[in-house]
Amino acid sequence: MAPMTRSFSPHNVPSDQVVEYYRRRAAGGLGLIITEGTTINHIAAHGYPNVPNFHGEQALEAWRKVANAVHAEGGKIAPQLWHVGAARRPGTEPGGQTPGFSPSGMFMPGKITGHAMTKDDIDEVVQAYAQAAKDAQQAGFDAIEIHAAHGYLIDQFFWAGTNQREDEYGGDMAARGRFAQEIVSAIRAAVGPDFAIILRWSQWKQQAYDARLVETPEALAEFIQPLADAGVDIFHCSTRRFWQPEFESSNLNLAGWVKKLTGKATITVGSVGLSDEFLPESANAGFKEASPVNFDELVERMENNEFDLVALGRSVIANPDWPKLVQAGKFDQLKPYEKRYLESLV
C-alpha cells in the first residue's frame, strides 16, 4: 500500500478509526503497508491539518496499536516519515505561525517565502528523523520510509530550482544530496544494520509535474548510489504512470533503472491497475476517478525482474481486499476509484 495522506487524526493522533483502516487492508492481503505521511518532531514539519505525528507519547502509542493490528492480520508495516519544508502553511498546528523551512526559503524557484535553513537547523532535522526511526523500531514497525519526493523538504534540497545554497549542501547533485545522505546515515546508526530503510523519491514535483532531477542514466547513478551507500535498502520510485520509460535508451521505468544501477530492491508505483493517472493537470482538482483495467504489462515487467514490489494507492482505497480479489481472479468485483472514498475511512 502506497502512502496516502488521509487527514483523519484529530490533534495529530491516530484514532481507532485509523487503526481499523490499516488493519482492514492488511486483512485484505496487502503484504507491506506504508502509512500516510507522519511528521517528525520539528516545529516546521507540519503542513496540513489532522495529519498524524510520529512523536509524542499519545501518537506513538496509537501507532503501536496500528502496527499490532496489521501484524495480527499477517502484514508488515512502515511509517512514512515526513517534513513538508517550504510547503508548510503558516498557521497550521502544531507550529502556529512558524514559516516553512527549506534550503533557500523557496517553495517555488525564485520566490522566497520562508526560512532558509542554517546548519544548526539541518542538524536538528537530521536528528529528528533519526529519533522517529528509532521510535518506529521500538514501537514494533518492520521498516521506515523517508519521504524524499514530490517537492517536500528533502526533495527541495535535491532540486536545483529550490536549492540555491552556496555551502556544502548546494551546488552539484552530490552536494544537493548531502542532506538526504546525512538523514539516512543517522537513521542507520540509530536503528542498526537489520532494520529496513525505504526512501521514496521522484523526478516530478507538486510545484512542477515536468521537473526532472536527472536526464540520463549516468546522472541517475551519480545521484542514487550515494544514497544506497548511506544505507537505503529499498528505493520507492514515485512516477505518475508506471509503464512509461524513464530514458529513451530503454523501456525500463524509473524503478527498473534504479534497480539496475544499484542492485537494491525497488518499488514501482503509478496508476497501477487503473484507467487514468492519479493527478490531473491541475493539482487543485484532487485525485482523478478511475476504473480498473488489466495489468498484464505490470505482471510481465515483474516477471522480468524489472522491480521487486508494486505499490497500490487509489486501488486499495476503493478495494481494501484488492490483493485477495486479484489472487482469486475476481476482477469483475473490483470497484472503480471514486472521489467520495476520500470523505471517510473505510
Side-chain angles (χ1 to χ4, degrees):
M1 181 173 173
M4 292 174 285
T5 299
R6 298 306 311 273
S7 301
F8 282 94
S9 295
H11 308 293
N12 314 109
V13 175
S15 64
D16 289 344
Q17 189 180 22
V18 172
V19 177
E20 175 61 16
Y21 168 76
Y22 287 115
R23 186 210 63 78
R24 186 177 178 199
R25 281 153 181 81
L30 284 158
L32 172 64
I33 290 172
I34 303 173
T35 74
E36 61 204 287
T38 70
T39 55
I40 61 171
N41 188 14
H42 184 260
I43 193 171
H46 270 276
Y48 311 99
N50 299 318
V51 166
N53 292 335
F54 208 86
H55 60 89
E57 184 176 345
Q58 279 188 296
L60 291 175
E61 181 55 34
W63 281 118
R64 186 183 297 275
K65 291 179 182 178
V66 171
N68 289 342
V70 168
H71 290 154
E73 298 292 350
K76 303 290 187 183
I77 185 166
Q80 187 188 66
L81 306 180
W82 190 22
H83 191 304
V84 303
R88 173 177 169 77
R89 301 167 185 170
T92 303
E93 295 296 344
Q97 293 304 313
T98 303
F101 279 43
S102 63
S104 303
M106 292 186 288
F107 177 66
M108 294 289 292
K111 186 177 181 181
I112 296 175
T113 57
H115 170 69
M117 293 170 68
T118 65
K119 182 62 168 70
D120 285 346
D121 293 329
I122 287 172
D123 291 343
E124 185 177 322
V125 170
V126 168
Q127 290 309 307
Y129 271 103
Q131 184 61 55
K134 184 66 174 177
D135 289 341
Q137 185 181 46
Q138 292 177 341
F141 282 79
D142 302 287
I144 60 93
E145 177 169 282
I146 303 165
H147 194 345
H150 308 162
Y152 293 112
L153 179 61
I154 297 173
D155 200 18
Q156 289 159 18
F157 274 84
F158 288 156
W159 190 23
T162 49
N163 185 345
Q164 298 294 307
R165 298 177 72 95
E166 297 180 354
D167 61 3
E168 66 268 36
Y169 296 95
D172 62 15
M173 189 73 253
R176 299 198 308 275
R178 185 185 303 274
F179 178 53
Q181 294 162 31
E182 290 183 358
I183 290 170
V184 174
S185 295
I187 289 174
R188 177 57 69 211
V191 300
D194 300 321
F195 191 71
I197 298 174
I198 308 167
L199 184 134
R200 192 178 214 212
W201 77 284
S202 64
Q203 296 263 40
W204 68 273
K205 322 297 170 200
Q206 60 183 302
Q207 301 93 317
Y209 289 162
D210 59 353
R212 293 177 66 82
L213 294 179
V214 296
E215 295 287 354
T216 65
E218 293 75 19
L220 176 58
E222 180 184 352
F223 165 67
I224 210 74
Q225 191 60 52
L227 293 165
D229 294 342
V232 174
D233 297 295
I234 304 171
F235 287 96
H236 190 171
C237 304
S238 179
T239 58
R240 295 168 65 199
R241 311 168 188 93
F242 82 88
W243 57 87
Q244 289 189 333
E246 191 58 37
F247 304 114
E248 292 182 358
S249 58
S250 167
N251 195 45
L252 292 175
N253 71 7
L254 186 60
W257 270 108
V258 170
K259 181 175 181 177
K260 178 179 180 178
L261 292 170
T262 66
K264 297 283 188 176
T266 59
I267 303 172
T268 198
V269 67
S271 305
V272 173
L274 291 173
S275 60
D276 213 341
E277 67 196 42
F278 84 102
L279 285 177
E281 292 310 308
S282 168
N284 295 323
F287 287 179
K288 275 189 178 178
E289 297 189 349
S291 300
V293 296
N294 78 66
F295 35 86
D296 293 346
E297 181 178 358
L298 178 76
V299 173
E300 181 180 353
R301 286 172 178 260
M302 195 87 177
E303 291 176 343
N304 289 336
N305 296 314
E306 184 173 341
F307 34 75
D308 303 276
L309 296 155
V310 177
L312 299 162
R314 290 170 296 161
S315 293
V316 293
I317 288 181
N319 302 277
D321 51 353
W322 190 97
K324 287 188 173 180
L325 290 173
V326 169
Q327 196 170 29
K330 298 179 179 179
F331 304 108
D332 59 335
Q333 295 184 28
L334 292 173
K335 294 182 292 188
Y337 166 77
E338 300 174 9
K339 292 180 181 178
R340 63 185 177 89
Y341 291 129
L342 296 183
E343 296 173 3
S344 62
L345 287 180
V346 294

